[in-house]
Amino acid sequence: MLNKGKLNRRDFLRFGSMVAGAALLTACPAPAAPGAAAPAAGGGAAATAGANQLEIFSWWTSGGEVEALNAIYAIYSEKFPDVEIVNAALTGGAGQGGNMKALLETRMQGGQPPDSFQVHLGRELIDSHVVPDRMESLEWLYEEEGLNDVFPKDLIAIASYEGKPYSVPVNIHRSNVLWYRPSKLEAAGVAAAPTTWDEFFAAAELLKAAGIPALAVAEIEPNFSGHVFENILITQLDQAGYLGLFDGSTSWEDERVTKALSILNQALDYANPDYLSTSWGDINDRFVADDGPAMMIMGDWTHGVLMSKGFTDYRWAPAPDTAGIFMVLSDSFGLPKNTPHRDNAVNFLRVCGSREGQDAFNPIKGSIPARTDPDLSKYDEYLLSAMEDFKSNTLSPSIQHGAAVKQSFVLDYAIAINNLATNRDVAAAQAMLVQAATDAEFVV
Ligand code: GAL
């Protein structure tokens, strides 16, 4: 029986495997890698039938994400120079990758899957794609590539359904990071980055007096605040209470959920005041500007974004009150059934799982490799510290990034938290969360 009191790496990974159980939108293509074809025209028209192509769906269009994906493509193109890569990356939408997921659904239902697509390990992979029988199992690929020896066993379990793996994890990301600008804290007389929410609010007051927004928020779509909220929720509920939210043993009506919502509501008083019209791209530009906010609670892809800007005036700490917790998610790629260029897709998965592929991708992406045998010389101070924390911390699965719960709940959740950010009404947002949990049929 799973001990929900404190999950270590093994327990978290086991939890993931236990719980596993469209508009056509404007394409926002990533710049193509050398040798890569133009992005799919018109926002995801299927790659040309019969052509020697590889069409990949993702929502990686930001700095760091683009370069990391291109690093994988570059390795692929070197090995398979005759294959034309169709980089069908699509940004935006509600929740992470909302627009890409909507288009993917349309393509899947129309019998026109891309050759492979970005998907979070955990409930997003299993409930959205494996249970509906859309994916090929990959146990033969794991054997051929020796992946059973280099991925943590329990990570393989999260990628698996009925004992067979269905995708290749390319990374491990941490959700609960406080990114901060030391120079701005200093300018406001804040001695050190806050380690608790009480310290955060004390620092926020000093920053306010100095005319600096404390917290960067980009809530033009339901997305960013949902991310911040999962990092508050865990601090109020502890691990057992948090995991209980997804199986009905903790009620979303619980007063600790109310407290978490109140903390977010209070934090929003110190956000950039235009946060409801601020996009993900805007907030990253703002964060590096001289007159922008001092802190941002975001996953470690922010490290990738900031590195891609060549920006160095920032440090990191666990989000307030989350020292010892690693809120975890993983990006992966799988093999849809009836993919038009199956051999090319399989070779792409081989590159994604390889040491060379993971060591090229992760140091740029801001994530740590899913493999346990990386070349450590390629990873910087932040990433080495994340690797250490991943080994020793309590691992809590992310809501917003598809690890803990199925996609339908993630969307309802993101919309409820967006409602809080918009209307600033804790009771109304909590009622929406309670309804979402009822609709998702979370029962003990
Ligand atoms: C996450 C994804 C990350 C990063 C982030 C930015 O869901 O796992 O790789 O892309 O979204 O939106």
Side-chain angles (χ1 to χ4, degrees), residues 59-60 65 96 118 120 171 173 301 329 331 365 401:
W59 60 86
W60 284 332
E65 300 176 343
Q96 252 62 30
Q118 176 189 359
H120 286 128
N171 67 3
H173 263 307
W301 43 89
L329 59 129
D331 296 299
K365 183 70 168 68
H401 306 276

Side-chain angles (χ1 to χ4, degrees), residues 159-177:
S160 298
Y161 183 66
E162 296 180 341
K164 292 180 181 171
Y166 280 86
S167 73
V168 176
V170 73
N171 67 3
I172 306 276
H173 263 307
R174 183 175 194 173
S175 148
N176 59 313
V177 187

Side-chain angles (χ1 to χ4, degrees), residues 62-63 96 179 181 184 213-221 223-225 227-228 268 270-299 301-302 305-306 309 311 314:
S62 296
Q96 252 62 30
W179 305 97
R181 298 276 313 266
K184 292 188 180 178
L215 191 65
V217 176
E219 192 64 13
I220 197 168
E221 293 165 319
N223 202 337
F224 196 109
S225 301
H227 180 101
V228 177
L268 288 169
Y270 300 96
N272 42 298
D274 59 350
Y275 64 80
L276 289 175
S277 55
T278 302
S279 71
W280 173 242
D282 293 339
I283 203 65
N284 291 316
D285 289 344
R286 218 74 83 61
F287 190 70
V288 302
D290 290 343
D291 59 353
M295 298 181 270
M296 171 162 19
I297 294 175
M298 195 30 70
W301 43 89
T302 290
V305 172
L306 297 177
K309 290 178 182 293
F311 186 69
Y314 67 100

Side-chain angles (χ1 to χ4, degrees), residues 241-262:
Y242 176 76
L243 296 180
L245 287 169
F246 317 122
D247 68 11
S249 55
T250 304
S251 167
W252 283 84
E253 285 178 311
D254 194 291
E255 61 185 15
R256 293 169 297 173
V257 177
T258 319
K259 180 76 197 306
L261 286 165
S262 304

Side-chain angles (χ1 to χ4, degrees), residues 5-130:
K6 167 157 164 66
L7 259 69
N8 55 26
R9 184 172 93 181
R10 197 176 171 75
D11 290 335
F12 159 72
L13 297 168
R14 196 172 330 130
F15 168 77
S17 65
M18 280 172 62
V19 295
L24 197 67
L25 298 146
T26 315
C28 182
T48 318
N52 191 13
Q53 292 179 327
L54 171 73
E55 187 190 29
I56 303 295
F57 267 35
S58 77
W59 60 86
W60 284 332
T61 59
S62 296
E65 300 176 343
V66 171
E67 295 92 326
L69 185 56
N70 280 348
I72 295 257
Y73 288 160
I75 294 172
Y76 185 92
S77 292
E78 208 177 300
K79 291 185 196 293
F80 309 100
D82 298 338
V83 178
E84 185 189 18
I85 298 173
V86 180
N87 178 43
L90 184 58
T91 190
Q96 252 62 30
N99 289 347
M100 185 217 87
K101 287 172 185 169
L103 181 58
L104 179 66
E105 194 56 34
T106 306
R107 288 274 302 268
M108 287 291 216
Q109 286 190 11
Q112 287 195 308
D115 295 307
S116 188
F117 59 91
Q118 176 189 359
V119 61
H120 286 128
L121 223 57
R123 296 298 297 256
E124 186 179 307
L125 166 70
I126 302 300
D127 290 351
S128 299
H129 302 290
V130 178

Side-chain angles (χ1 to χ4, degrees), residues 109-386:
Q109 286 190 11
Q112 287 195 308
D115 295 307
S116 188
F117 59 91
Q118 176 189 359
V119 61
H120 286 128
L121 223 57
R123 296 298 297 256
E124 186 179 307
L125 166 70
I126 302 300
D127 290 351
S128 299
H129 302 290
V130 178
V131 172
D133 198 24
R134 294 167 161 184
M135 307 299 286
E136 287 194 35
S137 67
L138 298 174
E139 68 282 9
W140 53 274
L141 184 75
Y142 270 57
E143 261 167 45
E144 281 179 30
E145 295 297 307
L147 299 180
N148 293 314
D149 302 327
V150 293
F151 288 149
K153 293 260 170 304
D154 303 317
L155 191 69
I156 298 175
I158 296 185
S160 298
Y161 183 66
E162 296 180 341
K164 292 180 181 171
Y166 280 86
S167 73
V168 176
V170 73
N171 67 3
I172 306 276
H173 263 307
R174 183 175 194 173
S175 148
N176 59 313
V177 187
L178 177 80
W179 305 97
Y180 63 95
R181 298 276 313 266
S183 55
K184 292 188 180 178
L185 295 187
E186 211 174 293
V190 178
T195 59
T196 64
W197 277 105
D198 285 346
E199 285 181 16
F200 175 90
F201 289 121
E205 276 298 318
L206 289 173
L207 286 158
K208 189 177 176 184
I212 303 171
L215 191 65
V217 176
E219 192 64 13
I220 197 168
E221 293 165 319
N223 202 337
F224 196 109
S225 301
H227 180 101
V228 177
F229 185 61
E230 70 179 21
N231 288 311
I232 301 175
L233 206 45
I234 188 73
T235 69
Q236 298 305 304
L237 285 163
D238 77 24
Q239 180 80 345
Y242 176 76
L243 296 180
L245 287 169
F246 317 122
D247 68 11
S249 55
T250 304
S251 167
W252 283 84
E253 285 178 311
D254 194 291
E255 61 185 15
R256 293 169 297 173
V257 177
T258 319
K259 180 76 197 306
L261 286 165
S262 304
I263 291 174
L264 175 61
N265 197 30
Q266 191 183 346
L268 288 169
D269 287 342
Y270 300 96
N272 42 298
D274 59 350
Y275 64 80
L276 289 175
S277 55
T278 302
S279 71
W280 173 242
D282 293 339
I283 203 65
N284 291 316
D285 289 344
R286 218 74 83 61
F287 190 70
V288 302
D290 290 343
D291 59 353
M295 298 181 270
M296 171 162 19
I297 294 175
M298 195 30 70
D300 46 14
W301 43 89
T302 290
H303 189 45
V305 172
L306 297 177
M307 284 190 291
S308 83
K309 290 178 182 293
F311 186 69
T312 53
D313 175 29
Y314 67 100
R315 297 294 292 171
W316 51 85
D321 289 310
T322 67
I325 294 170
F326 191 115
M327 191 158 274
V328 64
L329 59 129
S330 167
D331 296 299
S332 74
F333 288 87
L335 186 62
K337 287 188 170 170
N338 305 317
T339 185
H341 313 99
R342 187 176 179 283
D343 289 350
N344 295 347
V346 167
N347 286 331
F348 178 71
L349 298 181
R350 289 187 206 279
V351 174
C352 286
S354 69
R355 185 174 190 247
E356 184 189 10
Q358 301 219 341
D359 281 347
F361 177 85
N362 286 296
I364 307 173
K365 183 70 168 68
S367 43
I368 60 175
R371 290 178 68 111
T372 51
D373 62 348
D375 174 355
L376 294 177
S377 71
K378 295 197 185 318
Y379 294 84
D380 66 15
E381 180 195 355
Y382 169 73
L383 291 166
L384 292 172
S385 75

